[in-house]
Amino acid sequence: MALLQFTEKGIFCERANVYIDPWKPVDYAIITHAHADHSRWGNKFYLSHHLSKPIIQHRLGSDIHIESMEYLEKRTIHGVSFSFYPAGHIIGSAQVRVEYKGEVWVASGDYKLEDDGFASPFEPIKCNTFITECTFGLPVFQWQNQKEVFDDINKWWKKNQEEDKVTILTGYSLGKAQRLIQGIDPSIGKIFTHGAIEKTNEIIRNMGVKLNQTTYVNSEISKSAYRGALIIAPPSALGTSWQKKFQPFEVGNASGWMKLRGPRRRRSLDRGFVLSDHADWDGLNAAIKATACEKVIVTHGYTNIFSKWLNDQGIETQIEATAFEAEGIENTDKNNAE
Amino acid sequence: MKDFVQLFTQLDQTTKTLKKVAALVDYFNKANDKDKLWTIAILSHRRPKRSVRTSLLRAWAASAANVPPWLFEESYHIVGDLAETMALMHPNLESKHDKSLSEWIEFIIDLKNLEDEHPTESEDVLATKKEKVRWAWNQLDETERFIFNKLMTGSWRVGVSQKLMTRALARHSGIDENTLSHRLMGNWRAETSSYHQLIIATDPADKISQPYPFYLAYGLEIKIEELGKPNEWLAERKWDGIRGQLIIRENQLFLWSRGEELVTDKFPEFEILTEVLPNGTVIDGEIIAYQDNQPLGFNVLQSRIGRKNVSKSILDKAPVIMIAYDLLELNGKDIRESSLQYRRQELVRLVDNAASEKLLISELVEFKEWKDLLKERADSRKYHAEGLMLKNKSGTYKVGRKKGDWWKWKIDPLTIDAVLLYAMRGHGRRANLYTDYTFAVWKGKELVPFAKAYSGLTDKEINEVDAFVKRNTIDRFGPVRSVKPDLVFEIAFEGIARSSRHKSGVALRFPRMFRWRKDKPAKEANTLEDLEKLLNLYG
Ligand SMILES: [Zn+2]
Ligand SMILES: [Zn+2]
């Protein structure tokens, strides 16, 4: 019996009767991170990292039965030990290390290798089998380091400010938005947030995590206060009447998909910034190498292509279908993974 | 190349016309004449000749990126643009050169020139080319690499029309916009011209082939009665062929298509007109297939387009004539500012005197009241015409697409309800989305593909269909997926003809998606029989 199996409900450890990121309701769910496609509704019991817990509770209701633990703590169930390792994807995101009698599997959820200064940085784990996403599993996806991207964003904001315009920058509400708030130079001007993002910020600040100051956009603020300021909004706010009231503005989006000219031009954006919370091509390959694993299982993204590449490299790889959001170029709207 | 990169980035980053023009003016003010000329050339689709086959470039790009060819191809399918794929995949480097745009283009032209010293593509030449291209990639940063690759590989839509470029150039040079657009037409090449010669110098002798910009009509948007008095207008058929401009100067004939392509060689039957039309004549007309006093369908003409050599048998099978609409130059004088009434009068005189079976006048459709035209319009398909053209008798001949004096009044398209069968990823702005579709109709229990279409949907609908395709894929063949036959679309088209090249036996003229029939289940889509009925009626 394999330590982890892919069933119609999720990634299943039969020996412990536990699921990781299940997409159908189960009794015991271990959650890698608080994005909606990885922490779903309806499970009887949840186990997550401390920093994911309040966010999951906010999304799924405070009455869910949830416990949390720190990175590198262990919980043993029927002889199988489970622990969290930082995944570097968003705040509280974890890889789940599963060990039974010396055999180690890692379900990595979503991850990125670059330390963004906000999420705990990714740590490679030696294992026998590594379960990985490959959202950006093509060699055309190579990220710049985030300092350069933030330099560009700062420059853009300053220029808009000189032209007395409002700067609207979009990124999904949990993860990207906070990374932007933390990475952009706050001395340039005032940072406002869309309601959906400020909710998340509030939860994060309540956990005692430091986050640059933001002001929630509301009707009591006079229109002129937004001139020269920055507003962080979810992509779903694009093209709505909410957005229109800020005229004159410039709109940008921060996402890994902005690497491609097609998606960049398709959304009527003034600027696209390449900033992703997922690993790029080199990142995926480096992460896999660092595990020294014998086998890789790819779950979502360009699975056919990436698994063929790995097999060609002599790394045994198989594809397993999951309900995690895959070809996500257009669905940045879901307050969710890219 | 820094200035050009900045221009390209600015054009790429905005959808606003004003900003684009401002960026162009700014660039023209800074750039030297050579760079300006090349920029004008690039933006009017005149690139340097291809110096390296794309199959070689692909192979070199894959090896520079350390990936196998299959992975390069898969990535290309997803990115949807070859130059971009090669640029993104290359290890990312800092820019370390100070070459200008025109110097890089000369670099590319020099690659081509390597072949002159060694007549064939010998291994030596290929090895040198490879070394040089790889060297170039290592000098350039990502955006520069993209631009370099675009210059190497061909078709490049920068997202700025020739009209906007001309407007910016007019502002930069102080030369009137219409004058400029005339100067920019024709057969010039940046390799052999100069900025001064092309833009500044007036009427050099080598401009005898120079066409005028076409006047293009918008579709009629108002009720026809609102055009005013019927006697101030004339009506003619909108022929379904290739709009062309016929030029006779210094005993030579030049034929231009609307796409600003010189097509003289493709239609040798017009050569004879040099004997019957005076020098200094420019006629705007429609090239159509025509035999036994009858227009033939567009598909007959289509059989000639795209062929390198016009053989004797093609000339027999698809004979063409020109139907003359308008006269732009008379006795060497530009008469576009005269009234249509005058121009037409002179045109009739010329065509009559020419007495050639290759040049016919576009006959007027007689009408006293607007309602008389309703029936005429409805009869269009009988003439293989697309509808009617309405022109104000006192109007001048304008530049480009303008409202007011000319309107096209097309017939409603034919339509059929069809099932989406295959989807392919689009290119450019639509890269990475499934936007190019193949549609089928029923033949018993089987679906027979009969048309490809990619236009007519809104962006929102495209996203919806894209999501459907990704969720309902049955099979994959490279960039193409077969999908569950569930979605029904009303396909509109302008004409239908029998075709042995298509599995369905029919070829459609300009098929596009007219409406998404969300109300219709797939089994209620039309049948091959329905299609054949249309073929018998209109084919
Ligand atoms: Zn995910
Ligand atoms: Zn995620």
Side-chain angles (χ1 to χ4, degrees):
Chain A
M1 164 175 46
L3 191 49
L4 295 178
Q5 305 162 47
F6 287 78
T7 71
E8 53 155 13
K9 289 182 178 166
I11 305 174
F12 182 44
C13 177
E14 193 176 337
R15 193 169 296 279
N17 197 20
V18 157
Y19 287 82
I20 299 169
D21 291 354
W23 44 89
K24 284 190 177 156
V26 301
D27 289 345
Y28 197 125
I30 298 183
I31 302 297
T32 59
H33 65 292
H35 276 149
D37 58 328
H38 292 261
S39 58
R40 289 175 195 252
W41 177 86
N43 300 307
K44 290 206 178 109
F45 176 81
Y46 294 82
L47 177 66
S48 76
H49 183 266
H50 290 324
L51 293 175
S52 292
K53 182 177 162 185
I55 306 170
I56 295 171
Q57 280 175 317
H58 168 71
R59 269 209 13 258
L60 303 180
S62 52
D63 54 340
I64 61 165
H65 188 193
I66 182 165
E67 284 174 21
S68 60
M69 59 181 188
E70 189 43 82
Y71 292 123
L72 302 169
E73 255 183 66
K74 276 204 165 68
R75 182 166 295 209
T76 305
I77 307 165
H78 302 309
V80 185
S81 92
F82 295 87
S83 55
F84 289 137
Y85 273 71
H89 173 54
I90 60 166
I91 186 166
S93 67
Q95 312 175 68
V96 181
R97 181 184 183 277
V98 186
E99 178 176 5
Y100 180 72
K101 291 190 172 164
E103 184 181 354
V104 179
W105 287 51
V106 171
S108 55
D110 293 336
Y111 63 92
K112 75 164 179 298
L113 272 61
E114 184 182 21
D115 180 0
D116 64 13
F118 192 64
S120 304
F122 177 88
E123 276 182 43
I125 314 158
K126 293 263 178 300
C127 60
N128 302 92
T129 303
F130 186 58
I131 301 171
T132 180
E133 55 125 342
C134 54
T135 307
F136 293 105
L138 291 179
V140 291
F141 294 110
Q142 301 178 45
W143 310 149
Q144 281 176 292
N145 63 48
Q146 77 167 27
K147 187 183 171 304
E148 289 170 43
V149 181
F150 281 121
D151 284 350
D152 282 349
I153 296 176
N154 290 335
K155 248 186 253 163
W156 174 62
W157 180 12
K158 274 188 212 153
K159 186 170 164 284
N160 297 338
Q161 197 172 51
E162 277 159 24
E163 292 167 8
D164 203 26
K165 285 181 184 158
V166 180
T167 301
I168 302 177
L169 182 57
T170 60
Y172 62 90
S173 306
L174 170 59
K176 187 65 57 63
Q178 292 75 34
R179 188 174 171 195
L180 292 172
I181 291 163
Q182 234 15 43
I184 291 172
D185 179 0
S187 72
I188 298 173
K190 195 155 179 180
I191 301 178
F192 289 94
T193 48
H194 181 277
I197 290 171
E198 197 52 34
K199 267 274 147 51
T200 311
N201 288 355
E202 203 181 295
I203 299 165
I204 290 171
R205 288 194 185 102
N206 285 342
M207 295 190 273
V209 176
K210 206 185 116 11
L211 191 61
N212 284 338
Q213 200 201 327
T214 52
T215 309
Y216 157 53
V217 168
N218 63 71
S219 52
E220 269 144 54
I221 298 171
S222 89
K223 242 192 98 183
S224 61
Y226 298 115
R227 290 295 183 93
L230 172 70
I231 302 174
I232 310 271
S236 56
L238 281 182
T240 62
S241 55
W242 180 88
Q243 180 196 18
K244 290 194 184 95
K245 62 183 182 234
F246 299 111
Q247 285 286 15
F249 55 71
E250 296 266 315
V251 191
N253 174 249
S255 154
W257 299 113
M258 294 295 105
K259 189 77 187 176
L260 302 184
R261 195 163 168 247
R264 210 161 56 220
R265 292 198 297 167
R266 209 151 46 223
R267 305 197 192 138
S268 30
L269 295 169
D270 299 298
R271 288 296 295 269
F273 298 97
V274 186
L275 191 74
S276 177
D277 296 333
H278 292 263
D280 66 358
W281 172 256
D282 289 338
L284 290 168
N285 282 291
I288 289 164
K289 205 163 181 195
T291 64
C293 64
E294 293 132 30
K295 189 172 163 187
V296 173
I297 296 172
V298 291
T299 54
H300 55 310
Y302 295 107
T303 49
N304 287 326
I305 299 170
F306 192 59
S307 61
K308 181 166 188 235
W309 157 257
L310 291 177
N311 278 315
D312 280 5
Q313 301 301 108
I315 301 167
E316 189 194 334
T317 306
Q318 75 192 50
I319 304 170
E320 291 289 353
T322 64
F324 306 134
E325 305 280 333
E327 286 182 82
I329 297 194
E330 303 307 319
N331 61 15
T332 43
D333 278 2
K334 289 185 189 150
N335 176 21
N336 206 327
E338 302 213 31
Chain B
M1 176 137 86
K2 302 277 174 288
D3 290 344
F4 187 77
V5 169
Q6 197 195 2
L7 170 68
F8 165 75
T9 310
Q10 285 173 329
L11 294 176
D12 217 35
Q13 278 171 354
T14 184
T15 50
K16 296 175 190 116
T17 309
L18 279 177
K19 274 195 181 177
K20 287 189 183 186
V21 174
L24 280 161
V25 174
D26 193 41
Y27 173 80
F28 285 135
N29 289 342
K30 276 190 293 199
N32 66 36
D33 280 3
K34 267 191 170 172
D35 283 2
K36 272 196 282 198
L37 181 70
W38 269 113
T39 302
I40 296 165
I42 292 163
L43 295 179
S44 56
H45 310 288
R46 293 173 172 88
R47 284 170 322 276
K49 279 205 192 88
R50 180 164 294 177
S51 50
V52 181
R53 274 181 289 131
T54 54
S55 58
L56 289 172
L57 283 176
R58 288 157 118 113
W60 300 343
S63 84
N66 242 325
V67 304
W70 71 263
L71 180 53
F72 180 89
E73 294 303 316
E74 290 284 1
S75 303
Y76 169 41
H77 287 325
I78 287 161
V79 175
D81 183 287
L82 184 61
E84 187 182 357
T85 309
M86 296 194 294
L88 293 182
M89 211 179 272
H90 195 273
N92 213 355
L93 302 164
E94 304 263 307
S95 170
K96 44 179 180 278
H97 67 91
D98 51 10
K99 279 188 201 289
S100 67
L101 171 71
S102 41
E103 283 167 337
W104 276 114
I105 292 172
E106 276 156 25
F107 176 91
I108 291 170
I109 294 171
D110 283 344
L111 290 178
K112 179 87 192 154
N113 293 342
L114 283 174
E115 289 165 21
D116 299 343
E117 292 149 35
H118 311 255
T120 52
E121 284 215 318
S122 70
E123 283 196 4
D124 278 358
V125 171
L126 291 184
T128 314
K129 280 186 181 180
K130 178 177 176 180
E131 192 188 318
K132 286 185 178 265
V133 169
R134 301 253 328 225
W135 175 84
W137 282 338
N138 280 319
Q139 304 305 303
L140 301 163
D141 70 18
E142 192 177 292
T143 313
E144 293 172 336
R145 252 187 341 261
F146 173 71
I147 291 170
F148 175 81
N149 291 345
K150 275 291 180 195
L151 293 169
M152 298 268 296
T153 53
S155 77
W156 189 8
R157 283 191 207 163
V158 185
V160 54
S161 64
Q162 185 149 349
K163 197 161 133 193
L164 285 191
M165 189 259 290
T166 312
R167 187 178 305 166
L169 194 56
R171 212 177 289 170
H172 160 72
S173 64
I175 300 168
D176 166 72
E177 205 174 315
N178 286 350
T179 311
L180 271 181
S181 59
H182 188 194
R183 286 183 190 166
L184 289 178
M185 287 194 83
N187 216 9
W188 64 273
R189 297 198 59 84
E191 287 93 332
T192 50
S193 192
S194 74
Y195 179 78
H196 187 83
Q197 201 183 343
L198 181 73
I199 302 297
I200 309 293
T202 45
D203 280 334
D206 63 0
K207 288 197 171 177
I208 62 161
S209 72
Q210 190 96 334
Y212 294 98
F214 283 86
Y215 179 10
L216 306 171
Y218 276 97
L220 187 64
E221 308 158 321
I222 50 175
K223 286 217 187 72
I224 188 158
E225 298 81 25
E226 292 169 31
L227 286 178
K229 293 189 193 126
N231 63 7
E232 290 172 359
W233 292 78
L234 57 80
E236 57 191 339
R237 303 231 171 258
K238 183 174 183 336
W239 296 103
D240 187 11
I242 299 172
R243 183 91 178 271
Q245 209 177 107
L246 190 114
I247 298 173
I248 312 265
R249 288 179 193 135
E250 298 182 18
N251 300 322
Q252 288 182 61
L253 177 138
F254 306 94
L255 185 62
W256 291 92
S257 75
R258 209 192 86 186
E260 270 188 53
E261 202 188 340
L262 195 56
V263 292
T264 320
D265 299 344
K266 305 233 154 134
F267 301 99
E269 47 259 85
F270 292 122
E271 202 51 53
I272 193 170
L273 292 174
T274 50
E275 292 164 24
V276 292
L277 287 171
N279 279 321
T281 300
V282 178
I283 292 171
D284 173 1
E286 191 94 13
I287 303 162
I288 62 166
Y290 193 88
Q291 199 163 33
D292 303 330
N293 296 318
Q294 281 218 46
L296 307 173
F298 185 81
N299 57 310
V300 179
L301 184 58
Q302 204 157 30
S303 66
R304 276 181 72 156
I305 303 170
R307 294 200 188 223
K308 273 232 163 69
N309 301 311
V310 187
S311 64
K312 172 92 178 46
S313 82
I314 284 286
L315 288 176
D316 289 345
K317 259 190 250 158
V320 299
I321 59 153
M322 176 173 259
I323 297 192
Y325 290 136
D326 212 324
L327 185 65
L328 314 186
E329 186 176 308
L330 174 65
N331 299 323
K333 201 174 139 236
D334 178 356
I335 59 163
R336 292 177 297 159
E337 288 299 315
S338 312
S339 70
L340 172 61
Q341 190 142 26
Y342 169 77
R343 298 196 313 271
R344 182 161 170 100
Q345 201 182 311
E346 295 302 320
L347 177 70
V348 171
R349 205 192 306 274
L350 274 177
V351 173
D352 280 351
N353 286 338
S356 166
E357 55 176 7
K358 289 290 160 201
L359 184 69
L360 304 185
I361 189 80
S362 161
E363 281 175 26
L364 296 185
V365 177
E366 297 298 333
F367 67 106
K368 285 218 157 50
E369 291 174 60
W370 289 119
K371 68 172 167 40
D372 302 341
L373 287 177
L374 287 171
K375 191 185 169 310
E376 291 292 347
R377 173 172 170 258
D379 280 349
S380 297
R381 260 193 196 98
K382 258 200 327 222
Y383 301 92
H384 290 291
E386 294 182 295
L388 296 177
M389 286 296 301
L390 305 165
K391 296 178 177 174
N392 190 322
K393 290 179 186 168
S394 61
T396 58
Y397 190 93
K398 301 189 168 47
V399 172
R401 204 175 288 281
K402 294 275 155 54
K403 292 186 182 180
D405 287 336
W406 285 16
W407 297 101
K408 55 184 177 193
W409 197 28
K410 294 224 267 190
I411 34 174
D412 295 329
L414 300 168
T415 65
I416 198 143
D417 290 335
V419 183
L420 174 66
L421 202 59
Y422 302 108
M424 190 169 96
R425 288 201 185 92
H427 288 266
R429 204 176 79 87
R430 314 162 112 217
N432 223 319
L433 280 177
Y434 285 89
T435 56
D436 298 8
Y437 312 121
T438 302
F439 293 97
V441 284
W442 292 106
K443 182 188 178 188
K445 284 200 163 118
E446 192 196 345
L447 280 167
V448 185
F450 72 102
K452 286 195 168 111
Y454 53 86
S455 62
L457 295 186
T458 63
D459 281 0
K460 191 167 161 276
E461 286 171 326
I462 289 176
N463 285 343
E464 251 181 274
V465 177
D466 176 71
F468 171 87
V469 169
K470 284 165 183 166
R471 277 196 315 271
N472 294 280
T473 299
I474 296 173
D475 216 341
R476 298 160 194 248
F477 325 88
V480 180
R481 292 183 177 199
S482 67
V483 298
K484 219 164 109 202
D486 256 355
L487 305 188
V488 178
F489 292 84
E490 185 174 347
I491 305 298
F493 47 97
E494 298 304 320
I496 182 166
R498 209 169 282 289
S499 159
S500 54
R501 283 183 305 138
H502 295 77
K503 193 178 168 190
S504 59
V506 300
L508 303 187
R509 171 106 166 99
F510 188 34
R512 70 266 185 195
M513 287 161 278
F514 197 59
R515 217 161 22 128
W516 186 347
R517 296 294 307 259
K518 288 185 174 171
D519 56 317
K520 260 201 175 176
K523 62 175 175 2
E524 285 174 26
N526 283 108
T527 61
L528 194 57
E529 237 175 26
D530 298 330
L531 209 54
E532 265 152 19
K533 268 185 214 148
L534 289 177
L535 187 64
N536 292 333
L537 271 173
Y538 304 112

